[in-house]
Amino acid sequence: MLNDLSEVTQRLRRVCSQEVDVSGSYQAFLQDIIDEGRTTLAVSRVSVWLFDDHIQPRFLLNVANTDWSTKVEQMDYAKLSLERYHAYFTALKNGESIAASDAETDPRTTEFSDDYLKPYGITTMLDTVIFKNGVPHGIVCCEGTDGPRQWQSAEVSYAEMIADCCSRRILVSELWALQQQLSDLAFQDALTGLKNRRYLMDYAEREISRHMRAELPLSMVVVDIDHFKAINDTYGHEVGDIVLQAFAGCCKLVLRTEDCLCRLGGEEFVAMLPHTNADNAYHVAERLREALSQQQIEYGSERIMITVSCGVAEVNLQLPFSQSLKLADHAVYQAKANGRNCVVRS
């Protein structure tokens, strides 16, 4: 029993207010809260379960548990179904806290008797609802194995505060994920899925600084699709979009994982090649040119072939990136002047 609710709630509030990395698993950023709850309530286990769908839930999924190791090894019993535990779900969906002094006889938890309570020695349960925007989102389940236990109102209030703390952490995690999605969209070309010009300028600034410190070469290949306007005029912009997507896919197969391919705009792209000098970048550009010239892009009965003109430049780490980009762009113009479907080194 909690003798001083104020003291333990203050401690829980301090734990909850600490900054944690919410980019990982639920287990990681809820661990300190559920550990604090298990110690304070003197229970055997505290776990967090979330509905698979908060509007029409069918399952509760176990996302954090004080029994799990740091490797987050889940228990065998990790999913509860509405069909199997109807009374339990009904109480939770109504937003009720379940203080089951004797879990085997309480009508809301007796459904667990044969397949969970008895096998795991659970005798008492205190389950409180996690709310999101006023709607039940999941639960915090506190379980004891020392026989039936009369839950005091202070203990129920404390367990509800644990649920509120979990709700706060989950909300922060969801906001972080949304922020990451918005950030990705800001730096991503919607059509091809490649990074865009805005990302390229930030990336180049970071890579120039890194390569300068390490005294390593950094190169780029600017790639322009030949006669792309004619493709749009002949087949339409829908086919032009398909060509751009096929182009991006082919380039990804040729380039290394550490290379960075961005769409500058229209039919012009740039591949940044870390730890690569101009000679090796030239060979990469040739492989790109050859692979793209051999690719057949299918649209209905049509088989479309493309060629590209490439400009290669080693980035001058002592100058603004825009200067090196201009050199590579000028090399592309020279490649087009030379008849297209070729590589020119600046």
Side-chain angles (χ1 to χ4, degrees):
M1 178 176 175
L2 301 182
N3 295 319
D4 190 341
L5 182 60
S6 176
E7 179 183 343
V8 295
T9 54
Q10 286 294 333
R11 188 167 65 238
L12 180 62
R13 291 176 63 198
R14 285 194 295 271
V15 169
C16 185
S17 69
Q18 294 172 356
E19 291 189 10
V20 294
D21 180 6
V22 294
S23 64
S25 66
Y26 288 108
Q27 179 75 15
F29 63 79
L30 297 178
Q31 187 70 55
D32 55 350
I33 295 174
I34 60 179
D35 282 345
E36 179 72 20
R38 179 176 62 175
T39 300
T40 302
L41 290 173
V43 292
S44 304
R45 178 187 302 119
V46 176
S47 55
V48 178
W49 303 70
L50 298 180
F51 287 124
D52 62 324
D53 186 318
H54 67 275
I55 298 176
Q56 291 185 320
R58 296 178 304 150
F59 298 101
L60 272 169
L61 306 177
N62 194 190
V63 299
N65 196 310
T66 53
D67 277 359
W68 292 351
S69 70
T70 55
K71 295 181 180 179
V72 194
E73 297 172 349
Q74 296 189 12
M75 298 168 58
D76 293 335
Y77 200 85
K79 180 187 287 188
L80 305 177
S81 71
L82 168 63
E83 183 178 1
R84 175 68 182 83
Y85 305 106
H86 184 73
Y88 183 70
F89 267 74
T90 299
L92 297 177
K93 287 194 297 181
N94 290 335
E96 300 175 14
S97 292
I98 299 176
S101 300
D102 186 338
E104 287 196 33
T105 60
D106 190 293
R108 298 163 297 181
T109 57
T110 189
E111 298 166 319
F112 293 100
S113 183
D114 292 334
D115 53 3
Y116 183 64
L117 300 181
K118 291 178 180 177
Y120 288 93
I122 306 300
T123 56
T124 186
M125 296 172 66
L126 174 56
D127 293 5
T128 52
V129 178
I130 295 172
F131 290 100
K132 177 185 175 185
N133 296 326
V135 177
H137 192 62
I139 62 158
V140 173
C141 180
C142 305
E143 303 168 346
T145 57
D146 296 328
R149 171 174 172 175
Q150 189 64 45
W151 296 102
Q152 305 300 312
S153 60
E155 293 171 327
V156 175
S157 297
Y158 181 80
E160 290 173 344
M161 183 172 286
I162 294 175
D164 289 344
C165 289
C166 289
S167 176
R168 177 180 179 274
R169 287 271 175 90
I170 291 170
L171 178 60
V172 171
S173 175
E174 291 177 350
L175 290 174
W176 178 88
L178 177 60
Q179 186 178 39
Q180 292 301 113
Q181 291 175 8
L182 293 175
S183 178
D184 289 343
L185 289 174
F187 291 108
Q188 189 175 56
D189 174 59
L191 176 64
T192 63
L194 302 176
K195 299 299 184 183
N196 58 20
R197 187 186 189 97
R198 179 179 174 184
Y199 178 87
L200 171 67
M201 305 312 288
D202 288 348
Y203 171 89
E205 184 177 342
R206 295 194 305 270
E207 287 301 294
I208 286 173
S209 176
R210 185 172 71 87
H211 282 72
M212 188 181 300
R213 292 195 304 271
E215 298 182 350
L216 291 169
L218 173 66
S219 295
M220 77 175 84
V221 179
V222 173
V223 186
D224 192 285
I225 302 175
D226 297 328
H227 303 298
F228 185 72
K229 183 178 183 301
I231 294 174
N232 278 333
D233 291 343
T234 303
Y235 301 103
H237 289 279
E238 180 183 355
V239 176
D241 289 347
I242 293 173
V243 168
L244 292 172
Q245 292 168 338
F247 165 90
C250 183
C251 289
K252 289 178 182 179
L253 293 176
V254 175
L255 296 172
R256 304 168 300 181
T257 303
E258 61 267 31
D259 297 331
C260 178
L261 180 64
C262 302
R263 185 182 181 189
L264 287 179
E267 65 272 25
E268 190 174 29
F269 300 78
V270 59
M272 298 297 298
L273 310 177
H275 306 174
T276 305
N277 59 30
D279 289 338
N280 290 330
Y282 182 89
H283 294 308
V284 172
E286 275 292 350
R287 290 200 300 274
L288 277 173
R289 184 196 62 78
E290 184 176 355
L292 290 163
S293 67
Q294 294 177 357
Q295 184 183 40
Q296 287 192 4
I297 302 169
E298 298 182 2
Y299 180 74
S301 60
E302 300 289 346
R303 299 294 184 271
I304 303 169
M305 306 288 290
I306 63 171
T307 62
V308 295
S309 299
C310 302
V312 175
E314 186 168 326
V315 177
N316 188 326
L317 303 178
Q318 306 298 326
L319 296 176
F321 174 69
S322 58
Q323 297 297 315
S324 298
L325 185 58
K326 286 180 181 178
L327 290 176
D329 223 15
H330 181 74
V332 171
Y333 295 140
Q334 187 61 50
K336 289 186 176 295
N338 292 351
R340 294 182 169 83
N341 191 23
C342 63
V343 179
V344 170
R345 175 178 166 179
S346 67

